[in-house]
Amino acid sequence: MTIKRLAVITAMLYILGCAQSTVQNQPSPTPEPVEPSVSDIQPKAESDEDFERNITMADLRPDLLSVVLGIYREMKFPESTEQYGVYFEQPLLMETEPELDGYSLAKVLITRDVQADTDPLHRKVSGELRVIDTEFREKYFAFNAEYVVGTGGTLVLSSAAVPVYGKYSNVRFFVVEAKKTPPLKYLKDADYDELFEMVSENAMTEEELKKIDSFGEYKIFAFDMVKDADSAELSIYTDASLGMAVTSFSHSGNTNGWKFAMAEGEFLFNSAPEFKMYGVIESGGAQRNGGSITSSF
């Protein structure tokens, strides 16, 4: 089941059944994860104690900037022979190609920046990269590298990058009038991209949502804009009373790590008491809250 009910008094989540509204306890969604601020750099000393400063991308040391951009180029263009002053002694290690066509580097978080030995030009760096495409879909990667700075450029002795799953999320909600799309039972096999395009074209605007003043039939869609593991699942939770949200069908999907959830039924928006809907992600036996919207627009 995809839509679930959050009981305020007991602080437990209940699953909304289809026609019978079957009830089952679930743990409350966890607080939204805190994402690093835009382009913030948080270096760490050899002792792993935080420095008393944050560095923006514009203030990043030239050697760090060149290594980070070099790793990103190796991820995106593994066959390229262009070096741009950064030379890799060994290929960047990755389990699979990250498929970065259409993506741009948006944020960098440095988590470790230390000397590898007594030579200040022999260094080790670790961090995370955030990439984003024109549809605002995001991917995160953790990386590390050991490198030496020389007069002719930077030599990367070893480097690796892996996808980051289960840490970041950005769930977007859409409300669609029931008549605007086929019944959801016919959309169960739709993939993320097809469904997102259809829903975004038919979703109600903010002004249309504000005009809702009575109980009506709607479809609720939620999309996580951050790529996750293939096994992760997105569900929609609500703290609405039974008389304000009654679902007749719900479904969760995952297309190669891109998660979505949908439900159809009758909802009473813009009325007191206000209720919320949460996009809760379940992965590896843990839950986290990926975002929420309120019923008053």
Side-chain angles (χ1 to χ4, degrees):
M1 290 300 172
T2 305
I3 280 210
K4 302 180 176 72
R5 185 170 305 282
L6 175 64
V8 176
I9 298 177
T10 62
M12 300 295 290
L13 294 170
Y14 296 96
I15 297 178
L16 282 178
C18 292
Q20 294 79 18
S21 297
T22 304
V23 175
Q24 170 180 332
N25 288 332
Q26 295 285 341
S28 299
T30 55
E32 294 185 19
V34 178
E35 183 181 309
S37 56
V38 176
S39 299
D40 275 355
I41 304 299
Q42 301 174 357
K44 302 237 175 166
E46 186 68 58
S47 63
D48 285 338
E49 294 179 357
D50 290 329
F51 283 122
E52 295 292 328
R53 58 194 176 99
N54 286 327
I55 306 174
T56 64
M57 280 285 287
D59 296 324
L60 200 61
R61 279 197 330 266
D63 62 298
L64 271 180
L65 183 59
S66 65
V67 170
V68 166
L69 294 179
I71 288 174
Y72 175 65
R73 283 194 297 270
E74 287 291 302
M75 293 170 58
K76 188 169 185 178
F77 309 109
E79 304 301 323
S80 174
T81 59
E82 298 289 343
Q83 300 293 334
Y84 299 99
V86 182
Y87 306 92
F88 285 77
E89 188 171 76
Q90 302 177 45
L92 174 72
L93 294 179
M94 288 203 70
E95 291 184 359
T96 59
E97 291 189 13
E99 298 180 3
L100 294 179
D101 287 347
Y103 285 82
S104 301
L105 181 60
K107 293 183 183 179
V108 178
L109 171 68
I110 300 297
T111 56
R112 190 167 184 259
D113 170 28
V114 299
Q115 287 183 206
D117 53 29
T118 56
D119 183 357
L121 299 181
H122 182 192
R123 306 195 62 82
K124 293 181 178 180
V125 62
S126 301
E128 293 181 0
L129 306 179
R130 171 182 176 254
V131 299
I132 189 169
D133 72 358
T134 56
E135 299 293 333
F136 301 102
R137 291 175 297 188
E138 307 168 46
K139 296 180 180 181
Y140 287 83
F141 299 89
F143 72 91
N144 63 65
E146 181 177 351
Y147 65 95
V148 177
V149 181
T151 56
T154 301
L155 177 63
V156 179
L157 303 175
S158 63
S159 58
V162 295
V164 175
Y165 296 143
K167 184 176 181 180
Y168 300 107
S169 53
N170 178 21
V171 176
R172 292 182 62 185
F173 287 86
F174 297 89
V175 179
V176 179
E177 292 181 87
K179 62 184 179 181
K180 290 291 185 71
T181 68
L184 295 189
K185 64 181 180 180
Y186 297 117
L187 300 177
K188 290 193 301 181
D189 296 327
D191 69 20
Y192 182 101
D193 291 336
E194 294 172 340
L195 193 63
F196 185 85
E197 181 178 2
M198 182 191 70
V199 170
S200 58
E201 290 177 353
N202 290 281
M204 299 181 69
T205 65
E206 184 176 357
E207 290 303 314
E208 290 172 333
L209 290 169
K210 288 179 179 179
K211 294 178 182 179
I212 298 175
D213 59 4
S214 61
F215 212 64
E217 294 184 0
Y218 300 95
K219 296 183 177 77
I220 311 298
F221 294 88
F223 297 87
D224 191 352
M225 306 301 288
V226 178
K227 184 174 172 59
D228 208 336
D230 293 351
S231 59
E233 182 177 344
L234 172 64
S235 302
I236 303 172
Y237 288 64
T238 180
D239 60 8
S241 62
L242 185 60
M244 303 186 76
V246 180
T247 60
S248 57
F249 182 87
S250 57
H251 176 71
S252 293
N254 184 319
T255 305
N256 300 320
W258 297 104
K259 305 179 298 300
F260 60 90
M262 51 186 174
E264 60 189 357
E266 296 180 285
F267 300 89
L268 181 58
F269 297 123
N270 298 323
S271 179
E274 183 178 88
F275 62 88
K276 285 188 175 183
M277 288 179 284
Y278 304 87
V280 177
I281 297 158
E282 302 177 33
S283 180
Q287 291 186 332
R288 69 185 188 277
N289 183 12
S292 64
I293 60 169
T294 63
S295 61
S296 295
F297 304 105

